[in-house]
Amino acid sequence: MRPIRPRDGLVLLALVAYASPFFWQALTSMRPDAELLPLTRLLPSHLTWVHYDVVFRQSLMPRALVNSLGIALLSTLLAVGLGALAAYALARLPVRGRGVILLAMIAATAFPQIATVSPLYLLMRALGLRDTWLALILANGSFALPLVIWLLTGFIREIPRALEEAAAVDGADRLATLRWVVLPLAAPGMASAALLAFLFSWNEFLFAYSFTASEASRTVPVALALFPGVFEVPWGDIAAASLLASLPPILIVVGFQRYLVRGLLAGALRE
Amino acid sequence: MSDRRLAWLLLSPALLVLGTLTVYPALWVLWLALQYRIPVFGISRWAGLEHFAFLAVDTRFWNAAWVTGVFTVASVALEGALGLAIAVALRGQRGGRRTALALLLLAWALPSVVTAKMFEWLYHPAGGLVNFLLGGRAINWLGDPAFALPSLILADVWRATPFVALLCYARLLTIPPDLYEAAEVDGAAGLQAFTRITWPLVRPILLVTLLFRTLDAIRAFDIMFVLTGGGPAGSTESLTVYAYRALFQTLQIGFGSAIGVVVFALVMLVAVLYLRVIGRQEAAA
Amino acid sequence: MAPRPARAAAAGVSLPLLLWLVWALLAGGCGERPVAGAPITLVFKHAKILGPADPVPGLLRRFEADHPGVRVQSEALTWSSDEQHQFYVINLEGGSPPFDVMMLDVIWVPEFARAGWILDLTPSVAPAERDAHFPSAIEPAMQDGRLWALPWFMNVGLLYYRADLLAKYGFRPPETYDELIEQVRRIRAGERDPTLDGYLWQGKQYEGGMVNVLEALWANGARLLDDAGRPFPEAERAREALAFLRGLIESGVSPPWVTAGDEELTRRPFGDGRAIFLRGWPYALDLFELPDSRVRGKVGVAPIPRLRHGPVGAASTGGAHLAVSARTRHAALAVELARFLTSETAQRAMTEGAALRPSRPALYRDAGLIARDPSLPALHGLMLRGHPRPITPYYLMLSTTLQPEFSAVLVGRKSPERAMQDAGAQVQHLLRSVTP
């Protein structure tokens, strides 16, 4: 038998450290109320679905899930749609001041949300957009846009020019090349960027907390943070709601791990 | 259509969006920081540098700066060390890498509010797993000023280490194994292999990830706000939380913007410093 | 190049998804459109009333019966006071809020009045109707000599004590805090029960914590602000009061977790019989007298004790008021509704149905109500002695600015002097912003 090396121990420790909070939260979501506080036994005497029932029937989570899904999808559409076009222009077309623009994109990814939230709040208020989907779509989409442009510029640059030149020889103009050659080839990169933008919007809390007031536009993180309790904090219900809130990230990580990692790597390695 | 015209056509929607929603607010917040602005009462008048003059002597501000500093330095240091260690350990693994990577990625991909609620429950004095495993001691991790900040840092390190680990791991994958075999032949193994081969190759990417993490830690809001809300008596109130309270609890848009501007300047300063360090490293390499 | 089947699938999914999203956007964004010819609908926004029965629906039906063609739709607010405030601010600021009559925490009334969000009720409320409420309920609803909201129900801080334990050791309810501390010491020495806490109160960093600090200040004859808005005019007494609160925790009279305690976290241990004294609001009494309560019949109610320089019973009053939105389209009717819900009949129904206390002194002498709740006459005296928190549109701003400073004293992070100094600087900065 192979001797256990220190590095195996570290991996095991890391696995335990990263798996146990999930398991514990899942367990909590199925633990009967009476056994939540105080905690006297590790495993519950029996599993119960009552917390999920409360979350679905009595809480604002179902509506919040719809809000979050819609806002995330639309802001991703905004960011990737505008970002892909801009990235092609920056990667392939003559743009005066391209270096400055790209530098500005990088700088924009470092903007702290807490600094822009007050002017954005006033802006949304002036446009009458408080407590609407549009406010968050615009805020999230614009916040993800610099990163998307930066990523996609890099991805498009990686596409061999020969393919575009071949298309030009065949008589295609720039737009047609963009539509039929570049975008399909950049699709995996766009998928990565889209996944990152979607995750950002799904997880976003500060803007959502500041711009929403009611269930009309409240997103999942805000609903979770403001989860109501009558007298005490309902930890079991919160655990159930947390797991529901984690579903899209879980699906993305399990289903699209490769694209996600690619996006992360591209973002850091391009420095 | 000329290429140049097309370029601007394709660029302008994105630039328009960014201009109105990112650049304009970035300038506007500077303007707001110089005003007394309380929309609820219709107060809107010039303040000049009064907010900044107040912040310079405000103990709550300096406490927040201290909390931000401690949080940033501690988190980033831990994330760097642990992230690299996990990456190196994973590299040497044969099986189970997929699961490990998926778990790590998941922890990073979760909404920080979910992570905050998860840890809040783990840290609960009566119902939390931590106290249970410690033999039933009722330590109030988040309610005791001495423990609140470390507990918060631990939660954020858990959430962000995968980012560092993943990027270092990806870099390690590109190092050809023959380098290590050659080193073994030369008699250098284990620690020496690390310092001679691994470290120089991984250092650039580690610095870049630490840059990202530092900027993120300075700007951190979600986990702090939900987990402790600024903590018992401000012991976990960072600059961002202070700014948020000023903006949306006391509705002082001008004053809150001033604090936001300070955070902005801090982030930009750190970014420039870091980039210079990285630039110098690249030049030397 | 993406494989063809994947692309087709992507298109097949994305198109209906896009359509659904557009529909959801439009549906979510549009509010209800008023239908011509329908009955007039008033929207009444209020927090859910706890208690054995919710009297509000019955009252609303009675109003509808008295006003044919009018429907009243009741909508619930979220639980936490901060959330309710944020909800109101976002909806009232610059928009047409979708409600007509709203329930407000008494501390918000001057703020909402100054912001121009609520109607001036002075012309619609006769002086006699105004005088039928406690002065400490009407005062906070006045701004610039005008009346902006009507009191709906009222609260006052009071001292709960274990009558059985005090009787066992021959004590009367304490009039000074020194007596209280002495009684705690003697009772705990006698009972030898390590789980028996002395004095529970709310020290968490929130509005309730602010109330407790204010009551300690008042108990020592100190104020938070003078008439010109300067902080801590009686500085030495204020320092004593803050040091006293911290001293309760350091000496063990109060357990250290009171610094994280709110109303419910402190009510439960007292209701389980694990504390001798509790500072709380009147609603808790009903819960202590429930059939399955462990302290049923053992709880007494007394005024808040005093410190050296202050009066007995310097408690904070609180409660909810009803105001009418300034943008309502049915002003006369909405005012009618507010007046009806705060009338004697309505408040009587609320006192009978829920754990709420009325804001009308007359009801405290009502034989029928006293028969159900014998504590009413005692509460009447307490209501008269209590007084409201500082009445200023900037109260919430003040409170949220000062809470961290006081919290720092309670957990021992700052000395009272330091906290007062820092608090003073913050208050001055705040007042500079709001006074031109």
Side-chain angles (χ1 to χ4, degrees), chain C residues 169-205:
Chain C
Y169 291 81
F171 290 135
R172 291 167 317 136
E175 275 191 15
T176 71
Y177 272 110
D178 285 337
E179 283 176 30
L180 183 146
I181 293 175
E182 180 61 23
Q183 291 180 8
V184 164
R185 229 178 31 83
R186 295 261 292 277
I187 295 177
R188 279 162 96 180
E191 294 294 304
R192 280 180 230 270
D193 180 357
T195 65
L196 185 67
D197 285 322
Y199 176 36
L200 298 181
W201 42 281
Q202 298 81 45
K204 185 178 167 188
Q205 186 177 320

Side-chain angles (χ1 to χ4, degrees), chain C residues 279-428:
Chain C
R279 180 252 167 241
W281 303 105
Y283 81 93
L285 190 57
D286 293 15
L287 293 164
F288 295 148
E289 293 301 321
L290 284 177
D292 59 348
S293 161
R294 256 186 253 177
V295 294
R296 183 174 157 83
K298 301 186 194 166
V299 174
V301 158
I304 305 271
R306 65 179 176 87
L307 286 169
R308 210 160 6 131
H309 302 286
V312 177
S316 167
T317 53
H321 282 51
L322 295 183
V324 175
S325 157
R327 301 269 180 99
T328 176
R329 279 173 293 173
H330 314 288
L333 266 174
V335 174
E336 273 283 308
L337 179 60
R339 291 181 57 220
F340 168 70
L341 286 171
T342 55
S343 66
E344 193 168 310
T345 17
Q347 290 205 3
R348 172 176 287 127
M350 279 176 36
T351 315
E352 284 170 357
L356 297 170
R357 301 304 187 282
S359 60
R360 291 167 172 272
L363 289 174
Y364 287 81
R365 297 184 289 261
D366 182 288
L369 289 178
I370 295 181
R372 301 174 69 133
D373 183 4
S375 71
L376 279 178
L379 278 177
H380 180 238
L382 293 176
M383 297 276 185
L384 285 175
R385 280 201 262 195
H387 51 98
R389 284 157 273 180
I391 304 171
T392 156
Y394 315 117
Y395 176 72
L396 210 61
M397 287 171 75
L398 266 174
S399 180
T400 44
T401 307
L402 293 175
Q403 282 167 26
E405 301 299 329
F406 293 140
S407 181
V409 175
L410 296 180
V411 300
R413 261 187 120 215
K414 274 194 193 179
S415 69
E417 298 83 6
R418 195 66 221 266
M420 284 167 60
Q421 199 180 347
D422 294 340
Q426 301 234 349
V427 167
Q428 274 165 349

